[in-house]
């Protein structure tokens, strides 16, 4: 291999992982958090793949596309309420990232809790979100209380039994 070919190969080797890492789940999640903190829904939407899995968010209407449903979920739960996400732990396996997050928002304060805790599970490929869901940590007292006020989880109000 001549000197020019060797330099070219070394340059490609150095660039390759960087380009790949920029499209990986960690980088996509970091861009998502930055967009949420900036209140930038255009940036959030730009991260959502056209073929993203459908969110199970109760606020989604049947006529919404999958990307519109996920964008609506993100806007309603973290962007509009001006939530601040803090990463507590990350675990990446292939194209899926599981991030334990603490989320603070006036929405939670109004419900009487300081913050909630849960896991964002994000599958990302090619620099885009292909699947996204939040799993609340109901073993965390504040999280259980907040979701209980929404009728979700172990603290949800139980319907009255007929006598």
């Amino acid at each position: 291999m001549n000197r020019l070919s060797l330099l070219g190969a070394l340059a490609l080797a150095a660039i390759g992982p960087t380009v790949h890492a920029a499209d990986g789940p960690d980088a996509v999640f970091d861009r998502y958090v930055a967009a949420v903190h900036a209140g930038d829904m255009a940036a959030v939407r730009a991260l959502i793949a056209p073929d993203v899995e459908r969110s199970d968010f109760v606020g989604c209407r049947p006529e919404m596309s999958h990307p519109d449903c996920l964008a609506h979920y993100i806007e309603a739960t973290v962007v509009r309420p001006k939530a601040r996400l803090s990463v507590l732990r990350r675990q990446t396996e292939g194209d899926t990232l599981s991030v334990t997050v603490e989320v603070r928002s006036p929405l939670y304060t109004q419900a009487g809790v300081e913050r909630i805790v849960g896991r964002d599970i994000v599958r990302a490929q090619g620099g885009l979100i292909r699947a996204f869901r939040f799993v609340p940590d109901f073993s965390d007292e504040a999280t259980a209380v907040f979701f209980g006020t929404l009728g979700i989880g172990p603290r949800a109000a139980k319907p009255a039994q007929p006598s």
Side-chain angles (χ1 to χ4, degrees):
M1 183 179 280
N2 68 36
R3 185 171 181 217
L4 188 56
S5 298
L6 180 59
L7 289 174
L10 289 173
L12 285 176
I15 293 171
T18 304
V19 171
H20 179 71
D23 288 341
D26 282 292
V28 171
F29 186 77
D30 290 343
R31 288 194 295 273
Y32 159 76
V33 171
V36 165
H37 288 170
D40 187 347
M41 276 307 297
V44 168
R45 282 183 171 275
L47 291 170
I48 299 172
D51 61 344
V52 69
E53 289 180 15
R54 184 143 185 109
S55 169
D56 62 357
F57 181 51
V58 70
C60 289
R61 297 180 307 281
E63 69 272 11
M64 287 179 157
S65 70
H66 293 212
D68 286 345
C69 174
L70 180 56
H72 175 60
Y73 164 70
I74 293 168
E75 184 173 28
T77 61
V78 290
V79 172
R80 207 175 316 126
K82 298 181 182 356
R84 303 302 295 177
L85 288 75
S86 297
V87 173
L88 303 177
R89 280 181 300 287
R90 289 179 188 241
Q91 181 178 351
T92 305
E93 189 171 313
D95 62 3
T96 302
L97 176 67
S98 177
V99 184
T100 302
V101 291
E102 176 184 85
V103 188
R104 294 177 183 271
S105 160
L107 182 66
Y108 310 134
T109 307
Q110 291 170 3
V113 298
E114 199 172 308
R115 87 297 179 271
I116 64 167
V117 176
R119 286 183 307 132
D120 278 337
I121 301 172
V122 181
R123 186 168 50 82
Q125 296 168 325
L128 297 174
I129 296 170
R130 305 292 174 166
F132 185 105
R133 66 186 166 113
F134 176 76
V135 180
D137 178 358
F138 291 125
S139 69
D140 176 75
E141 180 72 13
T143 303
V145 167
F146 172 74
F147 280 95
T149 66
L150 302 176
I152 300 169
R155 292 288 186 89
K158 307 287 187 228
Q161 298 296 322
S163 338

